[in-house]
Amino acid sequence: MESENKHKEFMKEAIRLSCENIKTGGGPFGAVVVRNNEIIARGVNRVTRDNDPTAHAEVNAIREAAKALNSFNLSGCVIYSSCEPCPMCLAAIYWARISRIYYGNTKQDAARINFDDAFFYDELMSQPQDRNVIATPLLSEEAQKAFVMWMDYDDRTIY
């Protein structure tokens, strides 16, 4: 019961942030990153405020958590988001190695208020040449130089 109450407490903080953010000109999204039952980072949606399309609540919370822990690896951390993460945020959560996600609103709830991610999910399932933003390989052999250098570099940090 204790841990269930803690989960609810952390989710309530993410929801509080999402509501507070609306009052300051941001989108209705908030997130917290928790480690060892302690909030180590908070984030809100700052897309329109900062003119940054990547400034989603989860991404901002991850950035703050990485700074707080001085690490790009957030293994052992949990993220609580006021809404089910979009594809970009979900990818960031995986890249950060966050262990678990709790969310309030669903992606269907978000779609009902005009935050519809279905287009992005569809695009990700399409072949690169069939996407709305066409991706074309260019100078692949030349680009391989950096990958060869990376594999030969003894002091590389694996992530």
Side-chain angles (χ1 to χ4, degrees):
M1 189 62 150
E2 172 70 26
S3 64
E4 183 178 335
N5 287 337
K6 284 300 243 182
H7 292 308
K8 289 179 180 178
E9 176 186 323
F10 299 138
M11 181 56 73
K12 285 180 181 182
E13 177 62 5
I15 293 166
R16 184 193 70 75
L17 289 168
S18 70
C19 293
E20 190 65 30
N21 197 49
I22 294 168
K23 298 175 191 173
T24 60
F29 304 98
V32 297
V33 176
V34 173
R35 186 172 202 177
N36 298 326
N37 278 327
E38 180 182 331
I39 295 175
I40 61 168
R42 290 171 170 81
V44 294
N45 181 288
R46 295 180 176 267
V47 170
T48 57
R49 194 176 331 154
D50 295 351
N51 290 316
D52 179 352
T54 69
H56 290 201
E58 297 92 338
V59 171
N60 287 331
I62 289 168
R63 288 173 178 158
E64 290 302 313
K67 285 180 195 172
L69 296 176
N70 195 31
S71 177
F72 58 83
N73 187 330
L74 303 182
S75 295
C77 291
V78 177
I79 193 164
Y80 295 79
S81 177
S82 64
C83 187
E84 185 175 356
C86 75
M88 177 184 69
C89 293
L90 186 60
I93 289 165
Y94 274 89
W95 275 111
R97 309 298 194 265
I98 289 176
S99 303
R100 186 155 189 175
I101 305 164
Y102 289 91
Y103 60 89
N105 294 306
T106 67
K107 61 185 175 184
Q108 292 83 5
D109 296 328
R112 281 193 285 279
I113 63 163
N114 298 316
F115 289 95
D116 191 352
D117 297 332
F119 168 78
F120 300 105
Y121 285 104
D122 292 344
E123 283 287 289
L124 290 171
M125 296 302 293
S126 299
Q127 293 300 313
Q129 69 274 9
D130 296 330
R131 294 180 183 151
N132 281 290
V133 177
I134 297 170
T136 305
L138 183 63
L139 296 177
S140 298
E141 285 184 37
E142 192 170 329
Q144 283 292 313
K145 291 176 187 175
F147 283 7
V148 170
M149 285 177 64
W150 173 254
M151 292 307 294
D152 291 340
Y153 186 61
D154 292 332
D155 291 333
R156 69 182 180 267
T157 302
I158 305 298
Y159 60 97

